[in-house]
Amino acid sequence: MRGDSMGPMHQVPEDWKTGLVVVAHPGDIEYEAAAAVHRWTKQGKRIRYVLVSRGEAGIAGLPPAQTGPLREKEELTAANAVGVQDVEFLDYPDGRIEESLALRRDLARAIRRYRPEMVVLYNFHDTWAPGRANSADHRAVGRAALDAIADAANEWIFTELSGLPIWTARWAAVTGPVVTHAVDVTDSIEAATESILAHSRYLAALGSSPVPVRARAIVEAATAPIEGFPAERAVGFELFYIRG
Ligand SMILES: [Zn+2]
């Protein structure tokens, strides 16, 4: 059971049609939000992924030149498993992503191009849980993306994007330790499992337990019941209100 017992748990708004998920690495979406993405694409929403890197520094013993294309392919399969066909890679260096103006500009460009009402981000807090540090890439990408939502709505911050009309998203939903809103994903467990299983080479490199066992554990952790939310399985988010 997860969640903030201080108040009632709200449903993530679902009166939207276009979503954009922005993360640092292949696998990030599948570790947390894939079940929610599946629910939303089944509702007919159009969702795109933007990955800031190809995760080329993610497999010990396998050189980045081989790992990058492999993980890109795994991510495309993972996206398809939850109804997402559009996946863009920005090609920033895995492990060395900075919270830079260039990254904000590139993400603002993607936001203006795709015009999402809902932006989904990965945990960018300093920690995963008390005593467990988050990665530098996750911190940089999440914070830059939240800033880029504002940048995309302002015509003067990145004037080089003037060819794309400004765009204001309605919400950002962030996975991670802070949970204010939730999504019922009881019917999306199978698709979420298939999605994380697409990362089979990556998962195999992480440890000795069999890949299917590891995949099930990841989905179970991401979709555990949330206190105060009436669903057998749920994904939790911290919801940021951008407009409306
Ligand atoms: Zn990651």
Side-chain angles (χ1 to χ4, degrees):
M1 198 63 94
R2 304 165 293 159
D4 173 4
S5 58
M6 297 300 285
M9 187 58 56
H10 302 284
Q11 156 85 42
V12 174
E14 292 188 322
D15 57 329
W16 51 275
K17 291 189 171 64
T18 54
L20 180 67
V21 187
V22 179
V23 295
H25 312 119
D28 288 350
I29 297 164
E30 292 69 37
Y31 260 80
E32 299 282 347
V37 170
H38 178 257
R39 172 185 165 100
W40 290 330
T41 61
K42 291 292 275 186
Q43 291 173 344
K45 303 184 194 312
R46 174 114 197 234
I47 297 185
R48 296 177 171 90
Y49 291 174
V50 169
L51 286 90
V52 174
S53 84
R54 292 175 199 268
E56 70 274 11
I59 300 181
L62 196 67
Q66 291 171 51
T67 302
L70 184 152
R71 297 199 71 197
E72 178 182 342
K73 201 161 154 249
E74 288 189 340
E75 185 60 40
L76 295 173
T77 307
N80 291 345
V82 292
V84 173
Q85 268 72 48
D86 300 311
V87 183
E88 183 184 352
F89 294 86
L90 297 183
D91 266 333
Y92 279 71
D94 182 16
R96 292 182 288 128
I97 302 170
E98 292 178 304
E99 190 185 342
S100 63
L101 284 173
L103 179 56
R104 276 171 52 186
R105 180 202 59 216
D106 289 347
L107 293 174
R109 181 187 292 113
I111 290 164
R112 285 198 190 173
R113 190 183 294 146
Y114 299 136
R115 303 166 78 80
E117 294 162 275
M118 173 67 78
V119 179
V120 177
L121 304 176
Y122 201 53
N123 174 15
F124 52 76
H125 294 279
D126 290 340
T127 56
W128 282 115
R132 296 200 59 199
N134 201 352
S135 91
D137 285 357
H138 296 162
R139 296 197 307 266
V141 168
R143 289 171 205 217
L146 201 56
D147 289 334
I149 292 171
D151 300 334
N154 183 310
E155 67 191 292
W156 303 120
I157 294 174
F158 294 114
T159 52
E160 62 268 47
L161 303 181
S162 61
L164 293 163
I166 59 168
W167 177 255
T168 308
R170 295 171 70 189
W171 311 273
V174 184
T175 66
V178 180
V179 177
T180 62
H181 289 66
V183 181
D184 182 344
V185 295
T186 310
D187 297 328
S188 296
I189 301 303
E190 202 178 316
T193 306
E194 193 185 326
S195 190
I196 187 70
L197 273 171
H199 296 282
S200 59
R201 178 64 183 83
Y202 174 70
L203 292 176
L206 287 183
S208 54
S209 62
V211 167
V213 173
R214 191 172 284 273
R216 264 198 308 278
I218 290 167
V219 173
E220 269 171 29
T223 64
I226 293 176
E227 192 175 343
F229 190 69
E232 211 173 292
R233 308 291 287 271
V235 174
F237 296 93
E238 180 179 12
L239 195 73
F240 289 73
Y241 294 85
I242 313 297
R243 76 169 148 98

